[in-house]
Amino acid sequence: MGHFQRVLKELAKRNISLGRQRKDEYVNQLRSRIRRTSGDQHGQMLDNLLINALVEARSCERFKLLSEHIADESLRKFYRELMISEAGHYRTFIELAETYLPAKQVRERWKDFLIIEAEIMTNLEVRSDRMH
Ligand SMILES: [Fe+2]
């Protein structure tokens, strides 16, 4: 069974319905920082891949914390599985970037995005109604 089906099953067990997908201010702000220079398709592709890598990496970190601290044993295991899966997705995006662009350029832009992300996080509203 896929991860999404398993999430639905866990929700059903708890009598919770799946809510609507909400806009994600963190992702939107990251995406607003994609280079828009015309003719720089490689630069834009790199930015897109790195934003995806970043989102996957942060998901991985959240699932790690959940898998270590949540009381429910079956959820701990599930979150650990999701953590491993997200780590793989992060690697996939980085590897894709390195397939098309020099590793040095990928690393340098990654560092830019870590700084951009830190700026975004400083100004983002803290919310208790989401974890992923
Ligand atoms: Fe993922």
Side-chain angles (χ1 to χ4, degrees):
M1 194 190 306
H3 286 155
F4 185 61
Q5 276 75 28
R6 286 174 57 196
V7 168
L8 291 177
K9 209 174 134 191
E10 293 296 331
L11 288 175
K13 260 197 239 170
R14 293 165 178 79
N15 259 322
I16 302 170
S17 61
L18 183 67
R20 273 214 201 144
Q21 189 164 8
R22 293 164 294 193
K23 70 172 186 161
D24 189 317
E25 197 52 36
Y26 166 75
V27 174
N28 289 345
Q29 287 197 34
L30 279 173
R31 293 192 60 78
S32 77
R33 303 295 289 270
I34 294 172
R35 281 173 285 191
R36 305 284 175 199
T37 324
S38 65
D40 186 10
Q41 286 170 321
H42 279 104
Q44 288 171 19
M45 179 189 70
L46 176 58
D47 287 3
N48 271 300
L49 290 170
L50 291 181
I51 287 171
N52 285 316
L54 202 47
V55 168
E56 299 294 337
R58 297 308 180 208
S59 295
C60 175
E61 290 170 351
R62 284 193 295 277
F63 283 131
K64 180 177 190 292
L65 287 171
L66 287 164
S67 74
E68 288 171 350
H69 299 288
I70 206 155
D72 183 314
E73 186 58 33
S74 80
L75 279 184
R76 285 174 89 105
K77 282 189 189 149
F78 187 35
Y79 285 138
R80 185 160 176 81
E81 246 185 88
L82 291 172
M83 174 198 86
I84 292 165
S85 174
E86 299 294 62
H89 300 159
Y90 155 75
R91 279 304 317 158
T92 300
F93 283 115
I94 296 292
E95 281 164 17
L96 260 175
E98 289 175 347
T99 300
Y100 296 101
L101 293 153
K104 188 174 181 285
Q105 191 183 337
V106 174
R107 270 196 305 277
E108 276 165 17
R109 192 59 178 151
W110 178 254
K111 284 184 203 156
D112 289 346
F113 268 110
L114 291 181
I115 293 166
I116 290 168
E117 184 199 34
E119 286 167 20
I120 292 169
M121 291 310 291
T122 306
N123 298 308
L124 216 57
E125 179 196 355
V126 177
R127 301 178 60 147
S128 60
D129 62 337
R130 56 191 59 192
M131 64 172 187
H132 184 52

